[in-house]
Amino acid sequence: MHYVAESRLKTEESFIQRQSELDRVVSELDDVIGMDTEFHRRRTFFPKPCVLQLSSSSGVYIVDLLAPLDLTELEIALFSEDRVKVTHSPREDLELLHLIFGLELPNLVDVQLAHAFVSTDAALNYSSLVEHYLGHPLEQNKKMTQSDWRKRPLTLTQIKYAFDDVRYLLSLWDQIRSLLKKMGRFSWFLEEMQHYFKPVYKFALTDLTAIAAQSDWNALELKIYYGLLEWRERTARSHNLPRERVVTHKEIKVAVEQHHQDVEFFQKHFHRIGKNLYRLISRIKKGNSNRYDLHFSLEHKQTAHKRELFHRTKEPIKQLVAIKSDSIKLAAETLGRSHQISSWISYFYEYHDLPPSFGAWREEVMGTELREILNS
């Protein structure tokens, strides 16, 4: 079903490289603005800011983040609690803005997540949302995301792509917000937004559990595995390197399964990091990894009781999520992804309750049945 709507935007399109232009645009921003970013990220952990796109009732704008601009007033506008910032799948955009300004973006809306509360489609891309809600086919070259946004001048193709990325955000939000309210799920969405992007702003060790371990690994191997994942994460961040440049996931798997080998084995197979990797694994095994400030492997001990709880409850909870989501015509991924289910079980094991991020809306949908499974 298509919802045809006129764009709320006027026709002004500006590529902003001068302070006077930026000051004018910031002064004209509405209480609801669309936002996106483009960046360069090839050989670094953190992205290099290149451009910031904005949309408002006055038009669409590209702010050149490589130009000598004073971003003070822009920062005040973006991080105002009084303005709604409309985005699409903004995880990397939030990371970039946090890198530039050191602040968490308040009053955020993700139209992709909002759509997932009114549909069984959990993760429609931007062009699909535009066509679905606005009846406007949007051809976007996905390779543009990977183009070099550091080069100046930008190509006409890059500029068109950047404008289109924010041109329809406000109209999309108008349509989806109306549906959320009509279906009585607006409060569900707003509550989920309070938790959904929190992991962007801090290195949460529990997020590493989303990386699957081998099902046949014993407790010691799991301890080493998660300890190595944490070490890689901290090293990548501190040296601004991609995780795979520190040590690949395949190498971590080999290191775990060969943890009993001597230092010569590690030097032969891991070359420059072999000796350090051997020493690190030895410390993790002994529970003496303070030199590296590691905590994850100690916090996630796989006790027999905890393994039994996972074995007994995860599949029934997955089935519950599938049944409930089907009954209310909601994407199962929205109600509960696999890693979320794992986090609920872990939290329940520690605190005999469900985590705050579980939310009142999930409690309403399936809280009673979920607790019955966990307590069975």
Side-chain angles (χ1 to χ4, degrees):
M1 182 176 182
H2 292 137
Y3 303 87
V4 180
E6 294 295 324
S7 172
R8 296 177 9 162
L9 303 178
K10 296 180 181 177
T11 57
E12 181 182 356
E13 298 179 352
S14 298
F15 181 60
I16 299 171
Q17 294 179 299
R18 296 178 181 177
Q19 191 66 46
S20 59
E21 296 172 332
L22 178 61
D23 292 342
R24 176 184 62 82
V25 168
V26 170
S27 69
E28 296 176 355
L29 289 176
D30 301 319
D31 292 337
V32 182
I33 57 177
M35 189 194 70
D36 190 35
T37 66
E38 303 298 341
F39 50 85
H40 185 81
R41 191 181 207 167
R42 297 285 171 82
R43 298 180 180 178
T44 61
F45 183 91
F46 297 105
K48 179 178 178 59
C50 295
V51 300
L52 168 68
Q53 303 104 288
L54 300 171
S55 59
S56 188
S57 62
S58 55
V60 289
Y61 310 96
I62 301 173
V63 180
D64 186 357
L65 296 177
L66 301 183
L69 297 170
D70 181 351
L71 303 179
T72 303
E73 294 302 316
L74 176 62
E75 176 183 340
I76 293 171
L78 286 180
F79 292 90
S80 167
E81 294 279 355
D82 298 326
R83 280 192 170 94
V84 175
K85 275 70 65 171
V86 183
T87 62
H88 176 273
S89 187
R91 193 169 298 272
E92 290 183 310
D93 305 311
L94 297 179
E95 185 182 68
L96 186 75
L97 291 172
H98 189 260
L99 185 66
I100 298 171
F101 299 107
L103 299 170
E104 297 183 19
L105 193 71
N107 217 0
L108 180 70
V109 163
D110 175 11
V111 292
Q112 184 184 67
L113 181 61
H115 171 75
F117 275 87
V118 298
S119 169
T120 56
D121 297 316
L124 278 190
N125 60 37
Y126 177 63
S127 58
S128 296
L129 287 176
V130 170
E131 182 167 6
H132 176 75
Y133 285 102
L134 307 179
H136 178 73
L138 182 62
E139 294 184 8
Q140 285 198 311
N141 186 346
K142 294 181 179 179
K143 293 181 179 180
M144 282 294 99
T145 303
Q146 301 300 320
S147 66
D148 194 344
W149 291 90
R150 301 170 301 174
K151 291 184 177 180
R152 297 294 181 270
L154 295 177
T155 67
L156 293 177
T157 304
Q158 284 178 309
I159 291 174
K160 181 183 184 302
Y161 176 89
F163 278 141
D164 282 347
D165 259 1
V166 292
R167 190 187 307 278
Y168 305 100
L169 283 173
L170 302 186
S171 296
L172 280 175
W173 175 230
D174 283 346
Q175 296 287 346
I176 301 174
R177 181 180 56 200
S178 295
L179 276 178
L180 284 166
K181 291 181 176 180
K182 182 179 180 180
M183 298 174 70
R185 297 180 182 179
F186 189 62
S187 62
W188 292 10
F189 167 70
L190 293 182
E191 182 185 21
E192 191 72 0
M193 284 298 306
Q194 298 301 311
H195 303 283
Y196 197 75
F197 291 105
K198 284 295 183 183
V200 171
Y201 298 113
K202 59 182 179 180
F203 172 26
L205 301 181
T206 52
D207 294 337
L208 295 178
T209 58
I211 303 175
Q214 296 293 111
S215 59
D216 59 346
W217 282 349
N218 60 37
L220 176 60
E221 289 168 331
L222 288 170
K223 178 180 178 180
I224 295 169
Y225 181 61
Y226 291 125
L228 292 180
L229 285 179
E230 180 185 346
W231 168 77
R232 180 175 72 169
E233 186 76 10
R234 294 188 186 279
T235 303
R237 288 170 178 264
S238 63
H239 294 281
N240 196 21
L241 291 170
R243 294 180 183 91
E244 293 285 301
R245 289 282 297 277
V246 177
V247 59
T248 67
H249 197 71
K250 182 178 180 180
E251 287 173 328
I252 290 179
K253 182 176 182 293
V254 172
V256 171
E257 295 177 343
Q258 302 297 327
H259 68 85
H260 56 278
Q261 298 284 356
D262 59 21
V263 67
E264 285 76 17
F265 173 88
F266 278 84
Q267 287 178 311
K268 178 181 178 180
H269 288 83
F270 298 96
H271 307 297
R272 60 182 177 79
I273 65 168
K275 185 180 291 186
N276 287 338
L277 201 58
Y278 172 80
R279 291 173 176 171
L280 175 59
I281 290 174
S282 297
R283 288 186 171 88
I284 293 172
K285 288 160 74 172
K286 294 175 182 177
N288 180 23
S289 56
N290 291 336
R291 177 179 174 185
Y292 294 91
D293 193 27
L294 299 181
H295 307 285
F296 185 87
S297 59
L298 304 180
E299 291 178 356
H300 289 75
K301 293 179 180 178
Q302 290 288 326
T303 64
H305 181 227
K306 188 173 184 180
R307 287 197 299 272
E308 190 276 331
L309 180 64
F310 267 89
H311 179 74
R312 175 168 50 84
T313 62
K314 188 160 187 180
E315 283 306 315
I317 293 174
K318 283 184 176 180
Q319 293 174 16
L320 173 65
V321 167
I323 292 170
K324 289 293 183 178
S325 59
D326 183 65
S327 68
I328 62 175
K329 305 304 179 186
L330 184 75
E333 296 92 333
T334 306
L335 189 55
R337 298 178 186 274
S338 180
H339 73 87
Q340 288 177 307
I341 294 171
S342 294
S343 71
W344 300 341
I345 299 171
S346 290
Y347 193 92
F348 190 86
Y349 172 79
E350 297 291 339
Y351 303 103
H352 303 289
D353 200 357
L354 293 169
S357 59
F358 183 75
W361 75 272
R362 287 191 182 89
E363 185 69 45
E364 176 185 337
V365 173
M366 62 175 185
T368 300
E369 295 96 326
L370 179 58
R371 282 183 169 79
E372 288 176 354
I373 293 172
L374 289 168
N375 284 312
S376 63

